[in-house]
Amino acid sequence: MELKSIYKNCFKNPIWSIILVISFLTGITITLLFVLKIINYSWLTGWVLGLTSFLAGIFISKKSVMLLLENENHFLFYFFFLLRIGAYATPLFIAFFNNNIIFDYRGVLIGLSPILLLPFSNHKILNIKSY
């Protein structure tokens, strides 16, 4: 398999590639700032916490749409919506209430920054097809 076909298979969905590139660039920036001793370790852990909660929110969103199309249970969809809001808010509460010892809230906000792309790319991430 040549490199061109590997690249095409890896980045078939341009929205996932945009999310991965933004996450990678913020990770490189945070790591570079840590190496230059501009920020401390709590920013890195905050970024990791924010990024994992963002990916958990994407997973919950995909699961809720699949179950809505399968079962047509709107109460389950509302439950998953509240669960996704909780997945986004929990790292912020953790960062605010631990006095910035382990997780810095600014690192969490940088980790959650790909959420700003969701209104523009949610239909492609969820892979919703019209009937």
Side-chain angles (χ1 to χ4, degrees):
M1 193 185 279
E2 63 185 40
L3 185 62
K4 188 176 180 182
S5 63
I6 293 172
Y7 176 76
K8 282 183 181 179
N9 289 338
C10 186
F11 291 104
K12 265 187 180 172
N13 193 346
I15 300 305
W16 279 110
S17 63
I18 290 171
I19 289 172
L20 286 174
V21 166
I22 286 177
S23 300
F24 179 72
L25 289 177
T26 58
I28 292 294
T29 305
I30 293 270
T31 307
L32 181 67
L33 290 174
F34 176 70
V35 169
L36 294 174
K37 305 237 187 244
I38 296 173
I39 60 175
N40 56 3
Y41 184 71
S42 64
W43 281 63
L44 285 173
T45 56
W47 176 75
V48 169
L49 182 69
L51 193 63
T52 54
S53 68
F54 165 71
L55 294 174
I58 292 287
F59 174 74
I60 291 170
S61 181
K62 284 183 70 77
K63 189 71 170 171
S64 67
V65 169
M66 282 181 13
L67 287 175
L68 179 67
L69 293 176
E70 186 178 302
N71 298 334
E72 296 180 4
N73 185 356
H74 61 279
F75 293 114
L76 187 62
F77 183 76
Y78 296 147
F79 170 72
F80 276 116
F81 174 75
L82 291 175
L83 192 64
R84 189 174 69 179
I85 296 295
Y88 294 148
T90 302
L92 288 173
F93 287 138
I94 290 171
F96 280 127
F97 292 133
N98 72 356
N99 296 327
N100 297 335
I101 297 169
I102 301 171
F103 305 109
D104 195 350
Y105 72 93
R106 292 169 287 203
V108 173
L109 288 176
I110 292 171
L112 288 173
S113 64
I115 291 175
L116 299 174
L117 292 176
L118 286 182
F120 306 110
S121 61
N122 208 14
H123 64 285
K124 293 197 182 230
I125 290 173
L126 297 176
N127 198 13
I128 298 173
K129 298 175 185 163
S130 61
Y131 289 99

